[in-house]
Amino acid sequence: QVEVSMTDTRILGINAPVRESGKTEGTPGVTLMNGSAVVTLSHGLIVAKRHIHMTPEDALKNKVSNSQIVQVKVEGTRPLIFESAICNVHAH
């Protein structure tokens, strides 16, 4: 799969769906080129759904479980809350 941002889809003129990683059925294909190297996928272009990678220990500490949907608050000079982020709990 290839993950692009929403901004990238607008610039490229491609309608890539927002999906969880690995859920690529029915998505558009893409060709990547770097010099003479070319890779073409028949499908697999997505905008990654918001997600958080964390270890089982961090999940326990934060009282969340794998696949749980959470909000993520970013503090600082430009605070922000991300809605509907999926917890991906896995060991390193």
Side-chain angles (χ1 to χ4, degrees):
Q1 82 185 24
V2 173
E3 297 177 5
V4 294
S5 70
M6 280 292 196
T7 302
D8 292 335
T9 65
R10 289 184 189 100
I11 291 169
L12 296 170
I14 298 172
N15 186 19
V18 176
R19 295 278 179 90
E20 289 183 54
S21 181
K23 296 187 178 180
T24 61
E25 185 176 325
T27 60
V30 64
T31 298
L32 304 173
M33 297 182 289
N34 182 8
S36 61
V38 177
V39 175
T40 299
L41 301 177
S42 61
H43 68 284
L45 183 67
I46 66 169
V47 175
K49 193 167 187 176
R50 288 185 190 108
H51 60 282
I52 308 164
H53 293 276
M54 63 180 69
T55 64
E57 296 79 19
D58 286 337
L60 186 62
K61 182 175 79 174
N62 289 287
K63 300 179 180 142
V64 297
S65 59
N66 190 51
S67 299
Q68 183 175 345
I69 307 297
V70 299
Q71 292 179 326
V72 179
K73 183 176 183 181
V74 179
E75 296 180 345
T77 56
R78 296 179 64 199
L80 177 66
I81 296 176
F82 290 100
E83 301 283 341
S84 302
I86 301 170
C87 295
N88 289 335
V89 180
H90 50 87
H92 288 280

